[in-house]
Structures are given as C-alpha cells and as structure tokens.
Amino acid sequence: MSPRTVHDVVAHHAARRPDRVAVLCEDRAVTYGQLHHSSTRTANAMHRSGVEAGDRVAYLGKESEQYYDILFACAKAGAVLVPVNWRLTPAEVHHILLDSGTTLLFADDEFLDVTAKLKADLPRLRRIVPIPALEQWRGADDHDLAPTFDEAQPIAQVYTSGTTGNPKGVVLAHRSFFAVKAALESHGLDWIDWRDDDISLIGIPGFHIGGLWWAIQGFGAGITMVSVPVFAGHETVRRIRELCITTACVVPAQLQMMLAPPRPRRTDFASLRKVVYGGSPISEALLGRCIETFGCEFAQIYGLSESGNTAVCLPPSEHVPGGPRMQAAGRPYPGVDVRIVDDAGNALPTGEVGEVCLRTPAAMLEYWGLPDATAATLVDGWLHTGDAGYLDAAGFLFIRDRIKDTIIVAGENVYPAEIENVVSAHPAVLEAAAVGVPHEHWGEVVHCFVVPRQGETITTRQLVAFLRGRIADFKIPSGFEITDSLPRNPSGKILRRELRERFWQHLERRVA
C-alpha cells in the first residue's frame, strides 16, 4: 500500500530500498536509508528542544538535502513546517515568523545575522539552528518516534501574498500531498506518473507549494529527486543531460530560461520523458518551442496554494500545437469538481465566464489565525479561487482573467496592496496603484501608477531606491508611470482593470 502521510514515506522506502538515492543536491547524495535515519535523529532533537505536536518549525534557506531532512523530521515529530522564501526582506520574514508563532528556526549562514536581529521581537522563537550545523545539533538519538498522526493533521504552512499587504499562512494537511496521486492511480491515468527508474528535477523552490508538492510526489514514489539551490537555465540543461533526468516540474519562466541563447540541442534532453509545468499560464508560442526542443511529453497543472497545489491538469494528449485546447488550463482530476459562479454564487452554464470554484480533497485546512478570510474563501466545501474562467462542453477549464488583483511574477504571487502600501510611504507620493502587465519571460511584471503630492516631483530611480530593502526584489515594479490621478468608481475604489486594459487589449487571455 502506498504511503498516505509524509512521515510514512521515508520509512516505507527506507525499508524497501535503503540504498536508493533519495536526494541529489550538487555533488551530495543521500539514500532513503540515510534520510530516514537522519530525519529521525532531527525529530528527536526537535523534541529535546521543546517542540511539541502542532508547533511551527521554520526553514529559511536555499534548496538542499537538509531541507527534506527537516521536512520529514517535522512529520515524525508532529510539527508543522513553515518554509520561508529566502528572497524576502527582513521585515517580510519577520511577519511570517511572528504570524506563524515559529518556535524553532533553521537558517542558512547567510541569513543568520538577519534572524539574530529579528529574534528579540519573536517571543515564541526559542532557538535558531544554523543549517550547516544540523548534523552536530541533532546528535545521535535515533529511537523510533512511531508517529500516530493521520492524514488530516497539518504538515505545512505555506505563506502566500496577502490582499492587504501581509502574507497569509495556508495550512495544509498530509492529505493535500497525496490526494491527486491516489486519484490518478485509482483511475489508471498517467497524466502525472512515476516510473521506478525516474530521476526527477525539483525546479520550483521548496518554499513554494509547487516545489514542496512535487518533491513529496517523487519521494512517495521512491525515486531520486534532484534539488538545486538556485535555478539557472544553462546549468539546469547541463544537469538534465549529465544526470539523465527523466521528469521535471517547473514554471514557464524557467522553461524560457532553459531555451535562452545559446539554445540547447534536442540531444541535451534525450533522457527527459515528461515536463510538468504550472504556477502561471504559458504562451502557446513558448510551449511550441519547448515541445520542439525538448521532444518529450508536457502536462500543465493549475491550482493554488489553497487547493493543495494542483486541481486541474491539461494532460499530454492535449498538448498538440494548434490544437483546440492549447489555451485550456485543463480538466479536473478524478474526485475534484469545478464550477463557475456569478457574483451571487449561482452556478453558470457551459461557456459563460464567472469565478472558478474548486471542490478538492486536497484543499487547505484554513488560513492560519484568519477565520473570516477562511470562511470567505472556503464556502460550503467550495474553494473560491479569484480567477475568472469558463468550462467547455467536455469539462475543460479555460482561464480568462482574475477577479482578485493577484500579479504572478515567474510563478510568485504578488498583491497590489503590498506594493502600494510601500510606494505610498514615500514622502513625495500621494497614492499609488499597481497592476500586472504581460512580459515575455516572466509571464507578468508589476507596473505602478504613482500620483505625486502637490508641488512634489519624483523619478523612477528615486522610487526604485526607496523600495530596495522594503519589499523583495521580485516585487519591485519594472515600470512606473507618474500621473495626475487614478480612475475610480463611484464608491472611490481604484479601477485597476481600466489601468491594465491597454497592456492586455491585444491578448485573448487577460492573465499571463
């Protein structure tokens, strides 16, 4: 029987294939037997440090084999992993650690100075463990904890950008990482499949739901997962060629990076049999170049952190250049329902555009500490996505726009309020409005309209300098427009869609 909880995964495969490499990171290889043994010692050390079931344990670092050691240790100890985006500013990191109530933090050396300064304002944080010192810290206690937690228990708290500027913690149970795999297997579908000799690339960072979900899928199948500290296009092509990687999960921007000049040859991807991509929609032109160059199957996944990552898939059979469904997000997995609703929550018929709602066994448990936001997003078992789309007669979902104001930059969610709050703090700025505009490489980038205070002048260079260090670099607008006023509706709300229109009017799909 396949494992259904994260803590069962590594024990299951350590008993059956202890010498199989579980994680390959740079030139370091860790087998399933070693990963099971080391994560048990880390879990025992967590308990010695006072970590109890349900406590939050954070990881602030780049991709590494230690990240997955800590993931499995959290599962064995009953703790909840909080992966932190290392690209965030100290203020953004502080919010996540404070909001989650993190009690134990693992951090790369390069982030220790920052976290040490933050610790005084984090009342629940008892200890910071440098990741390079993990082996010494965990000690030799390897007695089996025999965890009894079931698949409904939380295992991860992934932070997404917030509509009011503060990220929200999406709490995910063990079941969120196994429901799709079980559904595909039970129906004999190979949309996303695993073979015993697969070697799989984790292209999406582990602090992102897509990267964490993909890693657990591979570990669940008992294959070798290739972890990269920082994604680089040409270096990834080299890894695929030299390691004979067979499967990969990436965002469209990473596909673009791999095809950048000097363009790789098709022989570089001879071992690759399937690429799974998601995080943001892909242009048909880029997908066509990928199909031609990679020479393998492609599967698109659609979902969000709140849906436990993927809820809809465009299977390889539909990836036909010029085909009728190349613009579709896909069709729901078995056991997942999709419906389109109007503003009043009424279901709309086939072909009509409305808000996309999902009912999935992988859905989040809650937004951490935000019952009102949870209730507004999860309504009678249906997850309201904030995306606008429609269903065709065959049940394929097409995304057309966003109801929420999310901007997706290379797979990273950004909300306008985050940008506007910081830009408006500049003494020369009266108000600001941020929107997403199309970008060939990154899908979307942030464009900000700025109204100066009366008698003040301000330049793009001054605004960029002001934002450095206040928000993460990927959130800094790539363009600014100084304007006298912003369009508003009768109630005073900024009409962002009107600001976006001239950037998107030539495109059928109003999201990247």
Side-chain angles (χ1 to χ4, degrees):
M1 181 178 177
S2 298
R4 297 300 298 270
T5 59
V6 175
H7 53 75
D8 283 341
V9 163
V10 71
H12 176 88
H13 292 296
R16 288 159 178 79
R17 50 183 64 183
D19 297 326
R20 168 72 62 86
V21 173
V23 189
L24 186 61
C25 185
E26 297 181 318
D27 60 349
R28 304 180 301 277
V30 179
T31 67
Y32 277 95
Q34 291 169 332
L35 185 57
H36 177 44
H37 182 66
S38 64
S39 61
T40 297
R41 290 190 290 134
T42 303
N44 280 309
M46 287 181 180
H47 280 175
R48 289 198 307 272
S49 296
V51 172
E52 300 178 353
D55 280 355
R56 268 54 181 173
V57 172
Y59 180 96
L60 177 61
K62 296 175 181 175
E63 286 289 294
S64 69
E65 66 274 25
Q66 289 94 340
Y67 175 59
Y68 298 106
D69 179 287
I70 292 164
L71 163 66
F72 288 114
C74 285
K76 293 175 180 181
V80 178
L81 177 68
V82 180
V84 183
N85 185 340
W86 54 267
R87 299 165 64 191
L88 299 178
T89 65
E92 292 168 315
V93 171
H94 177 266
H95 168 77
I96 291 173
L97 298 178
L98 181 65
D99 180 76
S100 62
T102 289
T103 61
L104 179 64
L105 169 64
F106 295 90
D108 273 344
D109 279 351
E110 62 186 289
F111 306 116
L112 290 178
D113 287 346
V114 169
T115 54
K117 293 174 183 176
L118 297 177
K119 190 174 185 298
D121 294 323
L122 298 168
R124 296 207 62 191
L125 181 59
R126 293 193 288 268
R127 183 162 186 173
I128 300 172
V129 178
I131 292 171
L134 177 61
E135 176 65 28
Q136 180 181 0
W137 173 80
R138 63 186 165 204
D141 184 356
D142 61 356
H143 78 271
D144 189 358
L145 295 173
T148 58
F149 317 109
D150 64 27
E151 60 188 44
Q153 298 298 311
I155 178 58
Q157 187 163 314
V158 179
Y159 275 79
T160 68
S161 295
T163 54
T164 60
N166 287 325
K168 301 191 293 290
V170 177
V171 182
L172 298 169
H174 289 260
R175 59 172 167 73
S176 294
F177 298 93
F178 298 93
V180 166
K181 183 173 184 289
L184 289 174
E185 289 176 350
S186 67
H187 286 74
L189 298 174
D190 63 354
W191 298 354
I192 300 173
D193 64 331
W194 302 97
R195 298 176 185 174
D196 190 62
D197 60 351
D198 272 337
I199 299 174
S200 185
L201 173 71
I202 309 168
I204 303 173
F207 56 73
H208 191 290
I209 179 58
L212 182 59
W213 180 85
W214 182 255
I216 293 175
Q217 304 311 295
F219 289 130
I223 67 163
T224 298
M225 303 302 292
V226 178
S227 171
V228 295
V230 179
F231 187 94
H234 295 149
E235 179 63 17
T236 299
V237 173
R238 183 191 65 79
R239 284 191 176 98
I240 292 172
R241 182 181 64 247
E242 295 182 0
L243 299 177
C244 296
I245 287 172
T246 60
T247 63
C249 186
V250 294
V251 298
Q254 292 172 326
L255 291 171
Q256 183 82 52
M257 292 166 66
M258 284 191 278
L259 292 180
R263 284 192 63 176
R265 298 168 299 177
R266 186 161 184 166
T267 53
D268 290 324
F269 305 104
S271 62
L272 203 58
R273 68 176 185 85
K274 183 172 290 185
V275 170
V276 176
Y277 65 94
S280 62
I282 192 170
S283 72
E284 191 166 346
L286 173 57
L287 182 55
R289 292 197 300 272
C290 290
I291 292 173
E292 177 185 355
T293 304
F294 287 44
C296 69
E297 291 187 332
F298 282 79
Q300 177 178 241
I301 57 177
Y302 164 80
L304 49 160
S305 297
E306 291 86 341
S307 68
N309 195 39
T310 178
V312 169
C313 180
L314 187 69
S317 61
E318 297 293 341
H319 281 73
V320 180
R325 297 196 176 97
M326 285 286 279
Q327 289 290 325
R331 63 189 309 172
Y333 299 102
V336 175
D337 296 314
V338 178
R339 72 175 179 181
I340 310 298
V341 301
D342 61 18
D343 292 342
N346 301 309
L348 292 172
T350 297
E352 287 200 27
V353 175
E355 183 174 13
V356 178
C357 295
L358 305 171
R359 184 164 59 189
T360 168
M364 70 174 182
L365 296 173
E366 62 176 336
Y367 287 124
W368 178 247
L370 297 171
D372 291 343
T374 302
T377 301
L378 280 174
V379 182
D380 297 328
W382 287 93
L383 176 68
H384 288 246
T385 67
D387 285 337
Y390 68 90
L391 292 168
D392 71 7
F396 281 80
L397 173 65
F398 291 75
I399 303 296
R400 281 293 172 262
D401 206 340
R402 295 197 186 101
I403 295 170
K404 294 180 182 178
D405 295 319
T406 323
I407 304 166
I408 301 182
V409 181
E412 295 279 5
N413 286 0
V414 179
Y415 273 95
E418 293 183 88
I419 315 302
E420 294 161 0
N421 290 343
V422 181
V423 173
S424 297
H426 191 287
V429 174
L430 177 63
E431 60 181 349
V435 299
V437 301
H439 189 274
E440 181 180 358
H441 291 165
W442 311 124
E444 284 182 289
V445 291
V446 181
H447 189 87
C448 190
F449 295 83
V450 177
V451 179
R453 293 185 182 277
Q454 187 172 2
E456 298 282 357
T457 59
I458 192 166
T459 66
T460 293
R461 180 174 295 183
Q462 291 170 329
L463 288 167
V464 171
F466 181 76
L467 295 178
R468 294 284 184 203
R470 288 180 166 87
I471 55 175
D473 285 351
F474 68 86
K475 300 177 184 179
I476 294 177
S478 65
F480 291 90
E481 285 188 41
I482 309 301
T483 183
D484 294 333
S485 62
L486 299 173
R488 299 179 184 274
N489 66 13
S491 64
K493 183 178 179 180
I494 295 174
L495 296 172
R496 288 195 181 86
R497 184 162 298 184
E498 185 174 316
L499 293 173
R500 296 174 70 224
E501 179 62 26
R502 66 180 166 89
F503 298 98
W504 295 91
Q505 58 187 355
H506 63 290
L507 300 175
E508 179 183 3
R509 181 165 58 189
R510 299 304 178 90
V511 292

